[in-house]
Amino acid sequence: MNKEALTELSKYRALMYRFLGGLYIMEVDENQLKTLKKLEFPEITGTEEADLDLKEGYQLIKDYAASASADDLEDLAADYARVFLAAGDATGRAAFPYESVYVDNKRLVGGSTEMQMKVLYLERGWEPDPNVYRTMYDNIGLMLEYMGIICDEITDAAQQEDRDKFAKLISEQKDFVRKHLTNWVYSFTSDVGKYAETGFYKGVARITNGFLKKETVLLQEGDRIWDSM
């Protein structure tokens, strides 16, 4: 077990989950735009489907950030409202960012799906700050933040060289991804690509696809990740 490699991997995973989660939770502000302009995305050389998703997604965000100014944030906020809140669409069609919408036959928000998320968060001792997360518990942004929290615990397990704890946490993430992310997120991101008018949110959707595909493969390895590093 290479403690440093495992630690860096879990830190990177936490960063990606929080990066994507934050973009779904709220509109981009001027400070975030400045950060995006300076951000260096990793170079993607693979040719798998997940690699192509990541490569295209990174390029879409880079292209948008390179040409965007503070004056464009109003249009980007309007696209956020259109894509995720159905603002301006008389039919109410949108990529609503809630698991309940995509797993409920009537596309209803909340219900037992949201309550499952609330229970999971509380069991982990996490109560989303309502001043930061003004949304339902099954919002994809909160779910990704939750995965980031578990990644932080995995980092601690790696640093403590606690294989049993590491394996338990990886198993938790594997179950969560299977039960609460890949069961609906690809349909959701497809809708984001359909409704978004800016390359920015199309890019966010593609990165989400690629990252989750990579995560699914990684988590299938279970505690064997410990021996592979």
Side-chain angles (χ1 to χ4, degrees), residues 26-40:
M26 62 188 69
E27 304 94 329
V28 173
D29 60 24
E30 191 168 350
N31 286 333
Q32 286 176 305
L33 180 59
K34 289 178 181 178
T35 299
L36 287 168
K37 285 180 175 293
K38 298 175 184 177
L39 201 58
E40 293 187 9

Side-chain angles (χ1 to χ4, degrees), residues 131-166:
N131 294 315
V132 177
Y133 305 107
R134 296 187 294 274
T135 186
M136 310 288 285
Y137 287 101
D138 63 331
N139 184 296
I140 185 175
L142 287 185
M143 290 180 160
L144 297 177
E145 173 63 26
Y146 177 71
M147 286 290 286
I149 289 171
I150 303 179
C151 285
D152 292 341
E153 296 179 24
I154 291 173
T155 297
D156 291 340
Q159 292 174 336
Q160 295 164 11
E161 301 186 23
D162 188 336
R163 178 171 185 152
D164 289 342
K165 181 181 178 182
F166 179 92

Side-chain angles (χ1 to χ4, degrees), residues 16-146:
M16 281 296 293
Y17 276 116
R18 289 186 166 115
F19 169 71
L20 292 169
L23 294 176
Y24 286 119
I25 286 290
M26 62 188 69
E27 304 94 329
V28 173
D29 60 24
E30 191 168 350
N31 286 333
Q32 286 176 305
L33 180 59
K34 289 178 181 178
T35 299
L36 287 168
K37 285 180 175 293
K38 298 175 184 177
L39 201 58
E40 293 187 9
F41 291 104
E43 183 179 353
I44 305 297
T45 58
T47 58
E48 298 292 330
E49 185 176 322
D51 296 312
L52 298 178
D53 280 337
L54 288 169
K55 185 175 183 179
E56 182 172 341
Y58 289 152
Q59 192 61 53
L60 284 166
I61 290 184
K62 284 168 64 176
D63 289 346
Y64 182 87
S67 61
S69 68
D71 293 337
D72 296 308
L73 290 177
E74 186 174 337
D75 289 337
L76 189 60
D79 201 32
Y80 178 96
R82 175 173 41 252
V83 174
F84 303 119
L85 306 174
D89 190 322
T91 65
R93 295 174 302 177
F96 295 108
Y98 310 107
E99 181 187 5
S100 49
V101 171
Y102 284 87
V103 301
D104 185 281
N105 290 333
K106 296 181 179 179
R107 293 181 65 85
L108 298 176
V109 178
S112 61
T113 300
E114 187 198 9
M115 287 302 100
Q116 287 178 42
M117 292 303 100
K118 183 177 182 179
V119 169
L120 281 175
Y121 301 157
L122 291 177
E123 286 178 346
R124 194 151 234 105
W126 180 50
E127 176 65 30
D129 185 344
N131 294 315
V132 177
Y133 305 107
R134 296 187 294 274
T135 186
M136 310 288 285
Y137 287 101
D138 63 331
N139 184 296
I140 185 175
L142 287 185
M143 290 180 160
L144 297 177
E145 173 63 26
Y146 177 71

Side-chain angles (χ1 to χ4, degrees), residues 2-23:
N2 184 322
K3 179 171 70 174
E4 289 73 22
L6 280 175
T7 298
E8 287 306 308
L9 174 62
S10 58
K11 286 183 177 179
Y12 165 76
R13 295 176 62 228
L15 181 67
M16 281 296 293
Y17 276 116
R18 289 186 166 115
F19 169 71
L20 292 169
L23 294 176

